[in-house]
Amino acid sequence: MGVGRFIHHFGAFLLFAATVLLVIVDITAPVVNDISILKVNLGSSATGSGITFGTFGYCVLDVNGQDECSKSQIGYNPADIITAAEGSDDFSNASENTAKALTRVLVLHPVATGLCFIAFLLCLGAGVLGSLVASLVSTLAFIVTIVVLACDFVMFGIVKRKVNGADSDSSAHWGVAIWLVVVAAILTLAGTIVIFLSCCAGRRRRSHEARKVTTYHE
């Protein structure tokens, strides 16, 4: 296997790794209770020990010895969930409405996953054209990932700031899923660059071989 093919396969591997990470983000709470984008550790007077917020819902942990999770849905209200657990409302209308609205953008997480996986599949049977299309699809996957990552930080940043700034012993911190999205974005960008470069190298090699054949026949 030549260097060009090795580089191409390495780019495909980067896209596959990014896809796996994004799948994990897709199955955060309420699918897998303990995997979260943001986790709130509740105070002693609250209902439950903590709240995990995920892509399609949330879980209130250790309520009477068991976790209570929402059904999977597009969009939810983090402020209402925290208020119900703590019994106090520290969110302004603006921050509550902003966080609630941005949760609907979380549906872009599986969209990014799908695009990244499609780009990976295109790489498997890739000639020059396949590599070019794969790089275009992975570029789109990177853009979608960056958009939803920015929304994650804005939306859950509002919640995190409100919880940590409130007069209670509750605290909020980023869950592992947010960092998986960051790594996935980096891998997607790197994979896009590698695939595009392998595409350019492939076209250059074929052009060079075509010129050699033409020269030979002359």
Side-chain angles (χ1 to χ4, degrees), residues 51 53-54 56-58 60 70 73-85 89 91-104 106 155-156 158-159:
I51 304 173
F53 293 104
F56 292 112
Y58 63 92
V60 182
S70 68
Q73 57 192 347
I74 298 175
Y76 53 91
N77 192 333
D80 276 355
I81 298 159
I82 294 173
T83 298
D89 187 2
F91 288 81
S92 65
N93 288 334
S95 59
E96 177 180 351
N97 292 335
T98 301
K100 180 180 178 181
L102 287 175
T103 58
R104 298 186 181 279
L106 294 176
M155 170 184 56
F156 289 115
I158 292 172
V159 177

Side-chain angles (χ1 to χ4, degrees), residues 81-141:
I81 298 159
I82 294 173
T83 298
E86 290 191 328
S88 61
D89 187 2
D90 297 306
F91 288 81
S92 65
N93 288 334
S95 59
E96 177 180 351
N97 292 335
T98 301
K100 180 180 178 181
L102 287 175
T103 58
R104 298 186 181 279
V105 184
L106 294 176
V107 73
L108 290 179
H109 278 299
V111 173
T113 305
L115 288 171
C116 204
F117 184 63
I118 290 171
F120 165 71
L121 292 179
L122 288 170
C123 289
L124 295 182
V128 174
L129 180 60
S131 295
L132 180 60
V133 175
S135 65
L136 293 175
V137 175
S138 60
T139 298
L140 182 57

Side-chain angles (χ1 to χ4, degrees), residues 19-37 52-59 69 72 106 109-110 113 176-177 180-181:
T19 301
V20 172
L21 295 181
L22 291 173
V23 167
I24 295 174
V25 177
D26 294 340
I27 61 171
T28 50
V31 180
V32 180
N33 301 7
D34 293 328
I35 304 178
S36 64
I37 299 174
T52 51
F53 293 104
T55 300
F56 292 112
Y58 63 92
C59 288
C69 298
S72 295
L106 294 176
H109 278 299
T113 305
V176 66
L180 294 182
V181 181

